[in-house]
mmCIF file of all heavy atoms in Angstrom:
data_model
loop_
_atom_site.group_PDB
_atom_site.id
_atom_site.type_symbol
_atom_site.label_atom_id
_atom_site.label_comp_id
_atom_site.label_asym_id
_atom_site.label_seq_id
_atom_site.Cartn_x
_atom_site.Cartn_y
_atom_site.Cartn_z
ATOM 1 N N PHE A 236 0.741 -3.814 10.585
ATOM 2 C CA PHE A 236 1.543 -2.910 11.395
ATOM 3 C C PHE A 236 1.405 -3.184 12.887
ATOM 4 O O PHE A 236 0.360 -3.650 13.354
ATOM 5 C CB PHE A 236 1.130 -1.457 11.139
ATOM 6 C CG PHE A 236 1.572 -0.913 9.808
ATOM 7 C CD1 PHE A 236 0.661 -0.764 8.777
ATOM 8 C CD2 PHE A 236 2.885 -0.548 9.597
ATOM 9 C CE1 PHE A 236 1.053 -0.257 7.553
ATOM 10 C CE2 PHE A 236 3.297 -0.040 8.378
ATOM 11 C CZ PHE A 236 2.386 0.114 7.350
ATOM 12 N N SER A 237 2.446 -2.824 13.619
ATOM 13 C CA SER A 237 2.392 -2.893 15.075
ATOM 14 C C SER A 237 1.518 -1.758 15.592
ATOM 15 O O SER A 237 1.165 -0.831 14.851
ATOM 16 C CB SER A 237 3.802 -2.774 15.656
ATOM 17 O OG SER A 237 4.378 -1.505 15.346
ATOM 18 N N ASN A 238 1.158 -1.825 16.856
ATOM 19 C CA ASN A 238 0.338 -0.791 17.486
ATOM 20 C C ASN A 238 1.106 0.534 17.483
ATOM 21 O O ASN A 238 2.156 0.641 18.104
ATOM 22 C CB ASN A 238 0.009 -1.199 18.923
ATOM 23 C CG ASN A 238 -0.823 -0.149 19.640
ATOM 24 O OD1 ASN A 238 -1.209 0.870 19.078
ATOM 25 N ND2 ASN A 238 -1.090 -0.400 20.914
ATOM 26 N N PRO A 239 0.614 1.581 16.794
ATOM 27 C CA PRO A 239 1.354 2.836 16.729
ATOM 28 C C PRO A 239 1.479 3.538 18.071
ATOM 29 O O PRO A 239 2.318 4.428 18.227
ATOM 30 C CB PRO A 239 0.535 3.678 15.735
ATOM 31 C CG PRO A 239 -0.837 3.104 15.804
ATOM 32 C CD PRO A 239 -0.650 1.633 16.039
ATOM 33 N N GLY A 240 0.656 3.138 19.043
ATOM 34 C CA GLY A 240 0.737 3.735 20.366
ATOM 35 C C GLY A 240 1.765 3.071 21.269
ATOM 36 O O GLY A 240 2.046 3.554 22.370
ATOM 37 N N ASP A 241 2.348 1.971 20.810
ATOM 38 C CA ASP A 241 3.367 1.260 21.592
ATOM 39 C C ASP A 241 4.635 2.108 21.651
ATOM 40 O O ASP A 241 5.159 2.521 20.625
ATOM 41 C CB ASP A 241 3.664 -0.087 20.933
ATOM 42 C CG ASP A 241 4.541 -0.991 21.793
ATOM 43 O OD1 ASP A 241 5.199 -0.478 22.714
ATOM 44 O OD2 ASP A 241 4.566 -2.207 21.533
ATOM 45 N N LYS A 242 5.141 2.371 22.827
ATOM 46 C CA LYS A 242 6.308 3.232 23.006
ATOM 47 C C LYS A 242 7.632 2.471 22.939
ATOM 48 O O LYS A 242 8.693 3.030 23.194
ATOM 49 C CB LYS A 242 6.218 3.972 24.345
ATOM 50 C CG LYS A 242 4.950 4.796 24.515
ATOM 51 C CD LYS A 242 4.784 5.829 23.420
ATOM 52 C CE LYS A 242 3.526 6.676 23.636
ATOM 53 N NZ LYS A 242 3.308 7.645 22.545
ATOM 54 N N THR A 243 7.571 1.185 22.598
ATOM 55 C CA THR A 243 8.800 0.399 22.504
ATOM 56 C C THR A 243 9.734 0.985 21.459
ATOM 57 O O THR A 243 9.302 1.332 20.349
ATOM 58 C CB THR A 243 8.498 -1.069 22.134
ATOM 59 O OG1 THR A 243 7.590 -1.613 23.089
ATOM 60 C CG2 THR A 243 9.769 -1.901 22.097
ATOM 61 N N ASP A 244 10.992 1.116 21.787
ATOM 62 C CA ASP A 244 11.983 1.597 20.841
ATOM 63 C C ASP A 244 12.002 0.669 19.621
ATOM 64 O O ASP A 244 11.928 -0.548 19.770
ATOM 65 C CB ASP A 244 13.362 1.613 21.508
ATOM 66 C CG ASP A 244 14.442 2.148 20.598
ATOM 67 O OD1 ASP A 244 15.010 1.342 19.831
ATOM 68 O OD2 ASP A 244 14.700 3.352 20.630
ATOM 69 N N PRO A 245 12.086 1.211 18.400
ATOM 70 C CA PRO A 245 12.054 0.346 17.213
ATOM 71 C C PRO A 245 13.154 -0.707 17.191
ATOM 72 O O PRO A 245 12.934 -1.822 16.725
ATOM 73 C CB PRO A 245 12.197 1.330 16.042
ATOM 74 C CG PRO A 245 12.703 2.598 16.649
ATOM 75 C CD PRO A 245 12.162 2.632 18.030
ATOM 76 N N ALA A 246 14.340 -0.362 17.704
ATOM 77 C CA ALA A 246 15.420 -1.349 17.749
ATOM 78 C C ALA A 246 15.062 -2.497 18.683
ATOM 79 O O ALA A 246 15.325 -3.671 18.386
ATOM 80 C CB ALA A 246 16.726 -0.685 18.188
ATOM 81 N N ASP A 247 14.434 -2.166 19.813
ATOM 82 C CA ASP A 247 14.023 -3.212 20.758
ATOM 83 C C ASP A 247 12.898 -4.063 20.173
ATOM 84 O O ASP A 247 12.859 -5.281 20.371
ATOM 85 C CB ASP A 247 13.561 -2.583 22.074
ATOM 86 C CG ASP A 247 14.713 -1.997 22.874
ATOM 87 O OD1 ASP A 247 15.861 -2.445 22.680
ATOM 88 O OD2 ASP A 247 14.459 -1.069 23.676
ATOM 89 N N ALA A 248 11.988 -3.415 19.457
ATOM 90 C CA ALA A 248 10.886 -4.159 18.833
ATOM 91 C C ALA A 248 11.428 -5.165 17.825
ATOM 92 O O ALA A 248 10.937 -6.291 17.727
ATOM 93 C CB ALA A 248 9.918 -3.189 18.154
ATOM 94 N N LEU A 249 12.442 -4.773 17.095
ATOM 95 C CA LEU A 249 13.046 -5.668 16.105
ATOM 96 C C LEU A 249 13.837 -6.776 16.796
ATOM 97 O O LEU A 249 13.745 -7.949 16.426
ATOM 98 C CB LEU A 249 13.962 -4.859 15.179
ATOM 99 C CG LEU A 249 14.362 -5.490 13.849
ATOM 100 C CD1 LEU A 249 13.144 -5.747 12.977
ATOM 101 C CD2 LEU A 249 15.331 -4.567 13.102
ATOM 102 N N LYS A 250 14.586 -6.408 17.811
ATOM 103 C CA LYS A 250 15.415 -7.378 18.532
ATOM 104 C C LYS A 250 14.580 -8.416 19.261
ATOM 105 O O LYS A 250 14.934 -9.607 19.282
ATOM 106 C CB LYS A 250 16.305 -6.641 19.543
ATOM 107 C CG LYS A 250 17.173 -7.563 20.396
ATOM 108 C CD LYS A 250 17.999 -6.770 21.402
ATOM 109 C CE LYS A 250 17.138 -6.127 22.460
ATOM 110 N NZ LYS A 250 17.946 -5.450 23.503
ATOM 111 N N ASN A 251 13.455 -7.982 19.835
ATOM 112 C CA ASN A 251 12.617 -8.871 20.639
ATOM 113 C C ASN A 251 11.532 -9.576 19.825
ATOM 114 O O ASN A 251 10.594 -10.127 20.386
ATOM 115 C CB ASN A 251 11.975 -8.072 21.778
ATOM 116 C CG ASN A 251 13.010 -7.505 22.738
ATOM 117 O OD1 ASN A 251 14.067 -8.099 22.939
ATOM 118 N ND2 ASN A 251 12.723 -6.346 23.305
ATOM 119 N N ASP A 252 11.662 -9.536 18.511
ATOM 120 C CA ASP A 252 10.755 -10.247 17.595
ATOM 121 C C ASP A 252 9.318 -9.743 17.662
ATOM 122 O O ASP A 252 8.385 -10.468 17.312
ATOM 123 C CB ASP A 252 10.774 -11.763 17.867
ATOM 124 C CG ASP A 252 12.163 -12.368 17.724
ATOM 125 O OD1 ASP A 252 13.023 -11.724 17.085
ATOM 126 O OD2 ASP A 252 12.389 -13.471 18.233
ATOM 127 N N LYS A 253 9.114 -8.500 18.103
ATOM 128 C CA LYS A 253 7.778 -7.942 18.127
ATOM 129 C C LYS A 253 7.332 -7.526 16.730
ATOM 130 O O LYS A 253 6.144 -7.477 16.430
ATOM 131 C CB LYS A 253 7.715 -6.740 19.083
ATOM 132 C CG LYS A 253 7.937 -7.088 20.547
ATOM 133 C CD LYS A 253 7.721 -5.891 21.441
ATOM 134 C CE LYS A 253 6.273 -5.462 21.490
ATOM 135 N NZ LYS A 253 6.021 -4.408 22.510
ATOM 136 N N VAL A 254 8.307 -7.179 15.897
ATOM 137 C CA VAL A 254 8.039 -6.852 14.493
ATOM 138 C C VAL A 254 9.133 -7.499 13.655
ATOM 139 O O VAL A 254 10.224 -7.803 14.150
ATOM 140 C CB VAL A 254 8.011 -5.328 14.229
ATOM 141 C CG1 VAL A 254 6.883 -4.654 14.975
ATOM 142 C CG2 VAL A 254 9.352 -4.691 14.579
ATOM 143 N N ALA A 255 8.843 -7.693 12.374
ATOM 144 C CA ALA A 255 9.831 -8.316 11.488
ATOM 145 C C ALA A 255 10.610 -7.299 10.680
ATOM 146 O O ALA A 255 11.743 -7.567 10.274
ATOM 147 C CB ALA A 255 9.147 -9.295 10.546
ATOM 148 N N MET A 256 10.023 -6.128 10.431
ATOM 149 C CA MET A 256 10.670 -5.130 9.585
ATOM 150 C C MET A 256 10.461 -3.723 10.139
ATOM 151 O O MET A 256 9.418 -3.428 10.734
ATOM 152 C CB MET A 256 10.126 -5.203 8.151
ATOM 153 C CG MET A 256 10.529 -6.447 7.384
ATOM 154 S SD MET A 256 9.714 -6.582 5.759
ATOM 155 C CE MET A 256 8.147 -7.337 6.253
#
Side-chain angles (χ1 to χ4, degrees):
F236 287 104
S237 63
N238 179 3
D241 189 341
K242 303 302 182 183
T243 304
D244 182 273
D247 289 336
L249 198 62
K250 178 182 68 175
N251 297 329
D252 302 341
K253 294 186 69 172
V254 296
M256 290 174 276

